[in-house]
Amino acid sequence: MPHILNGKKVAQKLKENLKIEIENIKLKFNRVPGLAVVQVGNVAASSVYVKAKTKAAKEVGINVFDHHLEETIKQSELINLINELNDNKDVDGILVQLPLPKTINEDLVLNSIKPEKDADGFHPLNVGKLSISTTNNENLLIPCTPYGCLLLLRELNINLVGKNAVVIGRSNIVGKPMAQLLLKESCTVTIVHSKTLDIENICKKADILIAAIGKPEFIKKDWVKEGAIIIDVGINRVEINKEKSKLVGDVLFSDVEDKVSAITPVPGGVGPMTIGCLLRNTTIACKKNNKN
Ligand code: GUN
């Protein structure tokens, strides 16, 4: 049986530590961290994520400023709201849930968030800081899902130095920052994507395989090295029948479980860690803002 990396449990511990940290912030500065959560439109998956993020933030003592906007909102109006949040002293972190409607330029919106309030770590300045940083990650605002994956890997207490890590997917949200984080751990990192030739053979050489492609149960055991560690970032809803659906990852768990040494389940693996890391970023941003 492989080691099942229980993200729910690790995220709970992270949240308990943040709760204590937030109590200390309150004692010292007489205020708690504030997180603005901006959702545009009603994409079903976004509504689920936003609800879970809001609930978790409140649980650890973060003040949530909820902004649910119409799908038809103009780009300029959205940027005006972000500018207001940038100037609001009670707001330490700003999260704009993606994807945005096609009428809105996502880059422009993300770039309008003050880098110090960038709860997702998506601003070019924070992306750049992650890419050139050689020290620990303590004070960096790092994209939440890949940082959550790294924290899960650390749970295994293994030496990551020199390990062959293959990241499947090259998104700005997961693939690229994941590669940067693994590189900082001195892994040998390969990113593969939809245009990669002979992707299966590259994956087969991975000691650590990070799957972030968004294709339900796409990865089977013939892509996986014996004893590999698998981090499954996929959260795909699939129909069981007309009335019922379930969540599955990018990896066919039942096919690979006898071959791997450790794996994250879906649900209950990476998902809760993404939320935990958002709360971490908000708390870091608050501590920095209180010093200024
Ligand atoms: N959409 C999918 N993942 C994320 C995330 O981590 N942050 C935001 N803001 N939007 C997302």
Side-chain angles (χ1 to χ4, degrees):
M1 273 294 283
H3 184 129
I4 307 292
L5 286 161
N6 187 336
K8 215 168 155 183
K9 215 162 147 186
V10 181
Q12 191 54 38
K13 185 89 199 118
L14 176 63
K15 278 165 65 182
E16 277 160 24
N17 289 337
L18 287 171
K19 205 168 170 179
I20 295 167
E21 214 172 311
I22 289 167
E23 277 162 14
N24 288 333
I25 290 173
K26 196 171 172 184
L27 284 175
K28 203 165 164 193
F29 298 101
N30 200 25
R31 64 178 295 265
V32 294
L35 173 66
V37 178
V38 181
Q39 184 186 354
V40 183
N42 290 298
V43 174
S46 292
S47 298
V48 173
Y49 295 138
V50 161
K51 199 169 154 200
K53 288 172 182 178
T54 303
K55 180 169 172 273
K58 288 179 181 167
E59 277 166 8
V60 297
I62 291 174
N63 221 350
V64 178
F65 301 83
D66 186 17
H67 294 271
H68 193 172
L69 311 170
E70 294 287 333
E71 165 106 30
T72 50
I73 192 172
K74 286 200 187 102
Q75 180 174 290
S76 57
E77 289 175 290
L78 177 57
I79 291 178
N80 283 345
L81 169 66
I82 291 172
N83 286 334
E84 274 172 33
L85 297 170
N86 281 339
D87 292 339
N88 184 339
K89 289 205 156 35
D90 294 327
V91 172
D92 298 286
I94 302 170
L95 159 97
V96 178
Q97 186 65 28
L98 303 176
L100 289 171
K102 290 202 169 51
T103 48
I104 295 178
N105 181 331
E106 218 158 80
D107 287 344
L108 217 74
V109 171
L110 295 179
N111 294 2
S112 71
I113 296 172
K114 241 189 194 174
E116 310 90 278
K117 294 194 177 190
D118 175 25
D120 262 314
F122 292 161
H123 189 283
L125 191 83
N126 291 319
V127 174
K129 277 187 181 174
L130 173 62
S131 124
I132 60 174
S133 136
T134 51
T135 56
N136 67 34
N137 297 314
E138 210 87 320
N139 287 313
L140 293 175
L141 297 177
I142 302 171
C144 307
T145 300
Y147 195 58
C149 294
L150 178 64
L151 294 183
L152 284 177
L153 281 175
R154 289 211 180 126
E155 283 294 304
L156 292 169
N157 279 322
I158 54 156
N159 186 5
L160 296 174
V161 175
K163 291 274 186 300
N164 264 334
V166 174
V167 180
I168 316 179
R170 54 175 157 176
S171 71
N172 290 335
I173 297 181
V174 185
K176 284 190 248 176
M178 186 76 248
Q180 293 290 1
L181 285 167
L182 291 166
L183 199 54
K184 280 188 75 175
E185 299 296 319
S186 297
C187 290
T188 301
V189 185
T190 309
I191 303 185
V192 297
H193 49 80
S194 56
K195 302 287 187 285
T196 300
L197 304 178
D198 206 10
I199 189 166
E200 183 177 333
N201 264 322
I202 299 172
C203 290
K204 251 189 225 165
K205 296 198 177 82
D207 303 309
I208 299 166
L209 189 63
I210 315 271
I213 40 176
K215 289 189 182 173
E217 299 180 324
F218 186 74
I219 293 160
K220 316 274 190 314
K221 70 173 167 206
D222 45 350
W223 283 44
V224 173
K225 179 176 166 178
E226 190 82 45
I229 298 162
I230 297 201
I231 306 286
D232 190 348
V233 180
I235 301 179
N236 310 288
R237 187 160 286 284
V238 293
E239 269 190 20
I240 303 172
N241 55 39
K242 279 207 174 105
E243 283 108 48
K244 274 194 178 164
S245 66
K246 63 170 181 174
L247 292 178
V248 299
D250 290 346
V251 179
L252 183 54
F253 190 97
S254 58
D255 198 45
V256 304
E257 68 175 329
D258 290 338
K259 201 170 180 184
V260 301
S261 62
I263 185 165
T264 58
V266 179
V270 175
M273 295 303 293
T274 297
I275 298 177
C277 291
L278 168 72
L279 311 179
R280 167 198 175 266
N281 277 350
T282 307
T283 309
I284 290 174
C286 175
K287 283 193 287 187
K288 283 199 202 164
N289 291 342
N290 285 338
K291 281 191 193 137
N292 294 333

